[in-house]
């Protein structure tokens, strides 16, 4: 037999059927999960999806995307899924290579090639170098080359011998001879006089002249002849050196004639494979360098250096000029690159120039040490970053702005100073074509937007992810499909209809409204996984509503230790809360405590004391520096209400103190402002207030009750206290009437209301609330302008009039 709904005992009471929205699967044609199609779309984020599509498809500069929203709303999942759709689009990607700059070695050149050609060029240059190292020595060791070189050198040597022979003959005819005199560094030729067939130096001739063996005239004549011959010898020596230069030039020309065909033959094959002016320019410079430094390719054996008796081998020539550093290889890419950088450190994001230690212990670097970062690897595609991670890393935001503003990056090492001065390398910048998507919350977005003018220029698209969506048929169908999809994707146990009902209703509970569903699908996914786990522990083949409730209860149980401790303190009297009787100037207010991921509601005793004076309303929390700005504003509004209600015909001579008893952690929010009004009205009228009813709701200066947040948790917090002490059937909670549509209370609370053991009252004004709390009429003004006799407002007005009269007499 169907139980009849209980009739409300008070006109403001909310019936049980309005306390919770119930999902009826039959109304949506859902009889079993087999009939539900898996979901292949993003749920409840239409606004964010439109913004993402505009940002991803806009080709103009500055249309990067900043995705905002709470964690769990699917920001990363949505962005990743959309980007993978774009990643399948064909793209003309480029490989990025750095090569040696023969003109300026400190400025490596950048070469961009079609995808896959970067590695090909690297291999071609390795093959080219290998062929040179084999081919050039082979040419120089060939009989043909040796004979040509020998013939060439002999020709010049014959010319030198002929010239020397003619000069020596001329010298002898004049009685002189060319001799070699050993100097400090090397031997040098000199002209010496022949005396008795033996060369005699000029010093010896002078000594003979002094001894009278030869005349002064003979000495003078010999000196003049020697000077003339030495001048001729200088001309001969210059000619000999000229012949040597010609010989060297001829050998070089011979080398070039023999090597050029070999080098050009190898280079022609490489040039034919690359349609790039930069490649041709690089290969031409490489060719010239080879021909200018042929000696490097057939080095002679040099003795090893000995240090302290140990032989140190000669350092090998790495020929780095002919190597290619492929910093980005898109050869294996099948579409647009999508990179999610989970660790956006400066080095990971922008690349660096590494350094190594040579055998002499000296730090060195070259273009082969250039490493690309994520932003270069994502070139032509998309890069996803976490905003908080990127903004907290030193130097990242400044560099990111510069890169996105110029769409160009110059790779440099981090200026840490750890190993002295940074690298002198200045690589050629890389042009970028990349979209950056940053993921963060609204606070970070607005903070950076307000502090950095460049931000709004480079992040022109904001994709804002909502935490809720309308509770309509389409949304519900998407919820059910989400359950089916996750079960198949992660191989969870299938859900029966009762399990799906609990999941959908929990979505409304998380949204905090009956007409909304939460879009925090990461939390819902965890509920599904844990429900499947508990079903497995129970040996069930399907997940039912019981298992879903078990998963939700266990999640709460893991983090509710603080709530339990507070419940114990209320139970043992450490925290003073009355749930019965009536007391003057005392009301049970309701608060929400937030501890990380867990929130819960608990009652708080609010008391007021009034007396004659000019201090007005004293907020003890504010005086103790424990009150937030919103709470302070609520107290000022409360004063405005009292002025408008009771100070039209007399001055408001009132001093009142209000406090949250046993509150030590600070108070904020205005949801208790109506509660504070009731406490003051009770104190002024001397009328006790029911302690079995807790109150929440803010008030405006007209005395109208305004909606508040956390209504479900606040109601359940007081219900738990009353239940622990025993439900009397009179206890309940008074809430703003606007919050009724947000009620998604626990089933045990709804059941208690249905049975008349607990009550929820929805009120609109202070007058309605004070009547319920005092069981006395609030009182309206009569035609004479006075309040009805015996009403709460009458008693309050009379007390304030007494204060004003006494104050006037005292003056």
């Amino acid at each position: 037999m169907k139980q009849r709904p209980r009739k409300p005992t008070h006109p403001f009471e909310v019936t049980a059927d309005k306390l919770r929205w119930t999902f009826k699967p039959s109304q949506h044609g859902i009889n079993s999960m087999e009939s539900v199609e898996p979901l292949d779309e993003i749920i409840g984020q239409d606004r964010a999806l439109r913004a993402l599509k505009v940002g991803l498809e806009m080709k103009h500069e500055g249309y990067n995307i900043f995705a905002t929203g709470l964690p769990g709303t699917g920001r990363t999942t949505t962005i990743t899924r959309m980007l993978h759709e774009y990643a399948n689009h064909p793209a003309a990607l480029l490989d990025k290579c750095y090569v040696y700059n023969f003109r300026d070695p400190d400025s490596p050149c950048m070469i961009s090639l079609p995808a896959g050609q970067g590695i090909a060029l690297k291999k071609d240059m390795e093959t080219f170098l290998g062929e040179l190292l084999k081919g050039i020595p082979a040419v120089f060791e060939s009989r043909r080359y040796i004979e040509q070189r020998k013939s060439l050198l002999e020709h010049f040597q014959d010319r030198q011998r002929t010239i020397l022979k003619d000069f020596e003959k001329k010298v002898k005819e004049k009685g002189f001879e060319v001799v070699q005199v050993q100097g400090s560094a090397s031997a040098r030729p000199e002209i010496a006089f022949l005396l008795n067939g033996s060369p005699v130096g000029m010093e010896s001739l002078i000594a003979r002249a002094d001894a009278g063996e030869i005349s002064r005239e003979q000495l003078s004549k010999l000196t003049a002849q020697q000077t003339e011959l030495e001048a001729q010898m200088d001309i001969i020596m210059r000619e000999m050196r000229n012949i040597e230069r010609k010989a060297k030039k001829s050998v070089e020309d011979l080398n070039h004639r023999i090597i050029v065909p070999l080098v050009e033959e190898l280079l022609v094959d490489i040039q034919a494979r690359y349609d790039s002016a930069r490649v041709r320019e690089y290969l031409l410079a490489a060719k010239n360098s080879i021909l200018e430094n042929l000696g490097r390719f057939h080095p002679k054996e040099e003795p090893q250096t000995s240090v302290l008796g140990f032989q140190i081998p000669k350092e090998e020539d790495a020929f780095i000029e002919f190597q290619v550093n492929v910093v980005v290889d898109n050869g294996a890419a099948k579409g647009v690159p999508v990179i999610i950088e989970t660790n956006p450190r400066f080095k990971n994001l922008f690349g660096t120039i590494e350094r190594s230690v040579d055998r002499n212990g000296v730090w060195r670097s070259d273009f082969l040490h250039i490493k690309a970062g994520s932003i270069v690897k994502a070139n032509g595609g998309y890069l996803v970053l976490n905003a908080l991670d990127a903004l907290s890393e030193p130097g990242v935001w400044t560099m990111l702005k510069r890169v996105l503003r110029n769409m160009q990056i110059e790779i440099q090492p981090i200026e840490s100073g750890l190993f002295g001065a940074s690298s002198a390398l200045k690589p050629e910048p890389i042009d970028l074509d990349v979209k950056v998507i940053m993921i963060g919350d609204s606070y970070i977005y607005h903070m950076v937007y307000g502090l950095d003018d460049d931000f709004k220029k480079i992040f022109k698209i904001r994709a804002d992810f909502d935490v809720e969506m309308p509770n309509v048929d389409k949304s519900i169908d998407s919820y059910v499909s989400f359950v089916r999809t996750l079960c198949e994707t992660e191989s969870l146990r299938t859900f029966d209809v009762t399990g799906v009902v609990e999941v959908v209703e929990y979505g409304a509970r998380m949204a905090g409204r009956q007409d909304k569903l939460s879009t925090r699908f990461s939390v819902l996914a965890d509920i599904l996984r844990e429900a499947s786990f508990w079903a497995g522990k129970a040996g069930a083949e399907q997940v039912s509503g019981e298992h879903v409730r078990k998963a939700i209860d266990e999640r709460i149980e893991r983090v509710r230790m603080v709530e339990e401790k507070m419940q114990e303190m209320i139970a043992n009297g450490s925290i003073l809360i009355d749930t019965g009787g009536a007391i003057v100037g005392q009301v049970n207010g309701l608060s929400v405590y937030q501890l990380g991921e867990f929130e819960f509601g608990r009652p708080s005793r609010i008391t007021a004391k009034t007396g004659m004076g000019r201090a007005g309303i004293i907020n003890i929390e504010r005086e103790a520096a424990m009150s937030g700005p919103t709470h302070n504003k609520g107290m000022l509004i409360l004063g405005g209400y009292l002025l408008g209600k009771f100070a039209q015909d007399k001055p408001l001579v009132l001093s009142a103190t209000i406090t949250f008893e046993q509150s030590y952690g600070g108070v904020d929010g205005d949801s208790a402002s109506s509660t504070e009004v009731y406490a003051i009205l009770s104190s002024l009228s001397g009328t006790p207030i029911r302690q079995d009813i807790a109150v929440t709701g803010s008030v405006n200066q007209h005395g109208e009750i305004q909606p508040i947040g956390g209504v479900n948790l606040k109601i359940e917090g007081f219900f738990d206290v009353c239940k622990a002490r025993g439900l009397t059937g009179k206890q309940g909670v008074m809430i703003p009437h606007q919050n009724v549509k947000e009620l998604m209370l626990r089933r045990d609370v709804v059941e208690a209301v249905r049975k008349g053991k607990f009550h929820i009252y929805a009120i609109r004004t202070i007058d309605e609330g004070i009547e319920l709390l005092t069981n006395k009429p609030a009182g309206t003004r009569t035609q004479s302008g006075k309040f009805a006799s015996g009403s709460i407002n009458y008693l309050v007005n009379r007390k304030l009039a007494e204060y004003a009269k006494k104050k006037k007499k005292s003056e």
Side-chain angles (χ1 to χ4, degrees):
M1 181 176 179
K2 187 175 181 181
Q3 185 180 3
R4 288 184 178 182
R6 181 182 62 84
K7 292 184 179 180
T9 59
H10 193 279
F12 300 150
E13 185 174 2
V14 181
T15 57
D17 61 311
K18 294 182 180 180
L19 301 181
R20 180 183 178 91
W21 171 74
T22 303
F23 171 46
K24 298 179 175 58
S26 59
Q27 295 180 358
H28 293 264
I30 301 173
N31 299 316
S32 66
M33 290 300 290
E34 285 74 13
S35 61
V36 176
E37 293 294 330
L39 184 71
D40 191 24
E41 62 181 17
I42 298 164
I43 307 173
Q45 301 294 350
D46 294 342
R47 179 183 291 103
L49 288 176
R50 288 195 298 271
L52 284 172
K53 287 181 180 178
V54 172
L56 294 176
E57 295 178 5
M58 285 289 289
K59 301 303 181 184
H60 300 283
E61 292 183 5
Y63 281 86
N64 299 292
I65 302 168
F66 197 107
T68 58
L70 291 179
T73 53
R75 298 169 301 175
T76 304
T77 303
T78 300
I79 290 169
T80 303
R81 184 179 298 182
M82 288 190 68
L83 289 180
H84 280 304
E85 293 178 3
Y86 283 87
N88 295 325
H89 295 175
L93 300 179
L94 298 174
D95 290 344
K96 299 294 182 179
C97 311
Y98 275 110
V99 296
Y100 188 79
N101 188 338
F102 292 93
R103 294 182 179 178
D104 184 3
D106 287 338
S107 300
C109 298
M110 164 56 54
I111 295 179
S112 298
L113 294 171
Q117 290 192 10
I119 292 295
L121 178 61
K122 177 182 176 69
K123 292 180 179 179
D124 284 343
M125 291 306 295
E126 289 174 353
T127 303
F128 171 69
L129 178 59
E131 292 294 331
L132 289 180
L133 292 175
K134 289 188 300 182
I136 292 178
V139 170
F140 286 143
E141 293 170 2
S142 66
R143 177 175 296 180
R144 177 178 170 226
Y145 171 78
I146 293 174
E147 290 178 351
Q148 288 184 348
R149 187 174 185 274
K150 181 179 179 182
S151 174
L152 193 65
L153 292 176
E154 287 178 349
H155 168 71
F156 287 101
Q157 289 171 356
D158 288 345
R159 288 182 59 188
Q160 287 181 321
R161 283 194 294 268
T162 301
I163 293 173
L164 285 174
K165 186 177 180 180
D166 293 342
F167 180 68
E168 288 176 351
K169 181 180 179 182
K170 183 177 180 180
V171 169
K172 284 185 177 182
E173 288 177 350
K174 294 188 177 183
F176 289 86
E177 187 176 36
V178 179
V179 296
Q180 297 291 331
V181 178
Q182 186 66 37
S184 59
S186 61
R188 67 179 187 277
E190 285 189 1
I191 303 297
F193 178 69
L194 287 175
L195 183 63
N196 300 323
S198 298
V200 178
M202 187 56 62
E203 296 83 0
S204 181
L205 289 177
I206 295 173
R208 289 175 181 272
D210 293 339
E213 296 179 7
I214 60 173
S215 65
R216 292 291 177 181
E217 291 78 7
Q218 286 180 312
L219 177 62
S220 176
K221 181 178 179 181
L222 291 174
T223 301
Q225 289 178 339
Q226 183 186 36
T227 301
E228 180 182 355
L229 291 174
E230 284 179 347
Q232 294 177 6
M233 184 177 67
D234 289 339
I235 296 173
I236 295 299
M237 295 308 297
R238 284 197 296 271
E239 187 175 354
M240 295 290 286
R241 287 194 292 271
N242 186 43
I243 292 173
E244 288 180 358
R245 285 194 293 270
K246 290 181 178 179
K248 184 178 180 181
K249 180 65 170 58
S250 298
V251 171
E252 289 177 355
D253 291 343
L254 173 64
N255 292 343
H256 284 199
R257 287 198 306 273
I258 294 179
I259 298 302
V260 165
L262 170 64
V263 176
E264 290 184 342
E265 181 182 355
L266 295 174
L267 290 178
V268 166
D269 291 339
I270 298 176
Q271 288 178 350
R273 287 193 285 271
Y274 303 95
D275 185 16
S276 168
R278 298 300 299 271
V279 171
R280 290 193 292 272
E281 180 182 343
Y282 166 67
L283 293 178
L284 177 60
K287 171 188 170 182
N288 294 334
S289 176
I290 293 168
L291 298 178
E292 292 170 3
N293 300 277
L294 286 175
R296 294 175 62 195
F297 294 88
H298 59 109
K300 297 179 181 179
E301 289 295 330
E302 296 181 5
Q304 295 181 340
T305 305
S306 176
V307 177
L308 298 178
F310 294 96
Q311 297 296 324
I312 300 178
K314 182 184 62 174
E315 187 169 358
E316 294 183 1
D317 193 338
F319 294 97
I320 65 170
E321 306 98 309
F322 310 105
Q323 298 183 42
V324 178
N325 181 10
V326 183
V327 293
V328 177
D329 174 24
N330 285 312
K334 297 181 180 179
V336 175
V338 174
I339 294 181
I340 301 176
E341 181 54 75
T342 57
N343 186 17
R345 299 172 59 192
F346 193 97
K347 175 182 177 181
N348 295 345
L349 200 55
F350 305 112
T352 188
I353 302 177
E354 297 178 343
R355 289 181 288 180
S356 60
V357 182
D358 62 19
R359 65 180 60 210
N360 297 319
V362 178
W363 288 98
R364 58 176 294 275
S365 184
D366 53 54
F367 76 96
L368 296 175
H369 289 79
I370 300 173
K371 306 296 179 183
S374 299
I375 200 163
V376 176
K377 294 176 182 178
N379 201 17
Y382 308 94
L383 175 66
V384 182
L385 303 172
N386 180 279
L388 183 59
D389 291 344
L391 291 171
S392 60
E393 286 290 337
V396 166
W397 175 244
T398 302
M399 185 65 171
L400 183 62
K401 286 194 304 179
R402 186 181 304 126
V403 168
L404 294 181
R405 191 169 56 237
N406 301 320
M407 293 309 289
Q408 193 178 71
I409 183 172
E410 180 181 306
I411 299 176
Q412 283 293 322
I414 302 175
E415 299 290 342
S416 63
L418 183 61
F419 301 109
S422 62
S423 172
L425 288 181
K426 185 178 175 61
E428 187 176 352
I430 300 175
D431 292 331
L432 295 177
D433 177 21
V434 62
K435 288 275 186 181
V436 174
I437 301 101
M438 294 187 77
I439 300 175
D441 57 30
S442 297
Y443 174 78
I444 294 177
Y445 176 84
H446 291 296
M447 179 187 70
V448 182
Y449 191 94
L451 295 176
D452 196 326
D453 290 336
D454 289 329
F455 178 77
K456 55 181 72 72
K457 298 176 183 178
I458 58 179
F459 284 94
K460 296 182 178 181
I461 298 293
R462 180 186 180 187
D464 200 8
F465 283 74
D466 202 347
V467 296
E468 59 187 24
M469 61 183 180
N471 187 353
V472 295
D473 291 349
K474 181 181 178 182
S475 301
I476 294 173
D477 292 341
S478 297
Y479 250 63
V480 178
S481 296
F482 171 75
V483 175
R484 173 72 184 274
T485 303
L486 190 71
C487 290
E488 291 184 356
T489 303
E490 301 192 6
S491 301
L492 304 179
R493 285 174 171 79
T494 58
F495 279 62
D496 64 17
V497 175
T498 63
V500 174
V501 168
E502 289 293 334
V503 172
V504 176
E505 291 185 5
Y506 186 69
R509 164 85 175 186
M510 285 200 300
R513 296 176 62 92
Q514 295 184 6
D515 57 351
K516 297 287 185 180
L517 290 174
S518 174
T519 57
R520 297 182 64 187
F521 286 99
S522 65
V523 178
L524 290 171
D526 290 340
I527 295 292
L528 298 179
R529 298 181 187 109
E530 293 173 26
S532 177
F533 168 79
W534 290 114
K537 298 288 284 186
E541 294 183 0
Q542 285 190 316
V543 181
S544 66
E546 176 185 356
H547 302 129
V548 176
R549 288 192 295 273
K550 172 73 171 174
I552 295 171
D553 292 342
E554 288 290 336
R555 285 173 64 88
I556 295 174
E557 185 65 28
R558 292 195 292 267
V559 294
R560 67 182 295 265
M561 184 176 70
V562 174
E563 181 190 18
E564 283 188 352
K565 296 295 182 183
M566 293 187 69
Q567 180 71 30
E568 290 175 4
M569 295 174 72
I570 292 173
N572 63 29
S574 298
I575 296 179
L576 302 178
I577 297 292
D578 292 315
T579 57
I583 302 175
V584 174
Q586 178 175 301
V587 188
N588 284 326
L590 295 171
S591 304
V592 173
Y593 295 81
Q594 185 170 9
L595 302 173
E597 60 180 318
F598 181 57
E599 295 179 318
F600 63 93
R602 274 295 175 265
S604 299
R605 175 179 287 182
I606 299 174
T607 60
K609 292 294 182 180
T610 56
M612 185 176 67
R614 292 286 189 181
I617 300 173
I618 301 172
N619 178 8
I620 292 179
E621 261 68 35
R622 180 181 180 183
E623 298 303 315
M626 297 174 64
S627 177
T630 308
H631 183 250
N632 294 335
K633 179 182 178 182
M635 295 296 293
L636 296 174
I637 292 173
L638 187 157
Y641 166 72
L642 293 177
L643 281 171
K645 189 86 171 181
F646 302 108
Q648 299 302 305
D649 54 356
K650 59 186 174 301
L652 187 62
V653 181
L654 173 67
S655 290
T657 59
I658 297 179
T659 187
F660 280 69
E661 302 288 357
Q662 295 182 287
S663 173
Y664 310 108
V667 176
D668 201 6
D670 65 347
S671 63
S673 57
S674 66
T675 311
E676 292 158 342
V677 171
Y678 299 137
I680 290 177
L681 295 179
S682 171
S683 179
L684 288 171
S685 66
T687 306
I689 284 182
R690 293 173 59 181
Q691 300 299 298
D692 53 8
I693 294 180
V695 180
T696 185
S698 68
V699 66
N700 62 25
Q701 294 190 109
H702 300 294
E704 297 170 334
I705 304 299
Q706 301 174 139
I708 44 81
V711 63
N712 293 299
L713 297 175
K714 291 177 177 179
I715 293 172
E716 291 166 357
F718 189 65
F719 174 82
D720 289 339
V721 173
C722 295
K723 184 178 179 181
R725 294 180 174 179
L727 296 174
T728 63
K730 295 182 179 180
Q731 297 144 334
V733 175
M734 200 163 67
I735 65 172
H737 74 96
Q738 301 97 324
N739 286 116
V740 172
K741 60 181 175 293
E742 299 176 4
L743 294 175
M744 275 298 295
L745 294 171
R746 297 193 319 243
R747 283 187 171 82
D748 58 337
V749 181
V750 176
E751 189 61 25
V753 172
R754 182 175 287 110
K755 293 180 178 180
K757 296 182 178 180
F758 197 74
H759 307 274
I760 310 295
Y761 303 98
I763 61 168
R764 298 174 181 272
T765 64
I766 289 291
D767 286 347
E768 291 180 356
I770 198 66
E771 287 183 355
L772 180 60
L773 291 172
T774 62
N775 293 321
K776 282 189 176 184
T780 56
R781 291 187 184 272
T782 62
Q783 290 183 352
S784 62
K786 299 185 178 299
F787 291 104
S789 179
S791 66
I792 297 295
N793 288 332
Y794 172 83
L795 296 175
V796 171
N797 192 59
R798 186 178 66 181
K799 177 63 72 173
L800 292 174
E802 291 176 4
Y803 287 163
K805 189 180 296 184
K806 290 179 180 179
K807 184 65 176 176
K808 187 174 182 180
K809 285 183 179 180
S810 66
E811 293 175 350

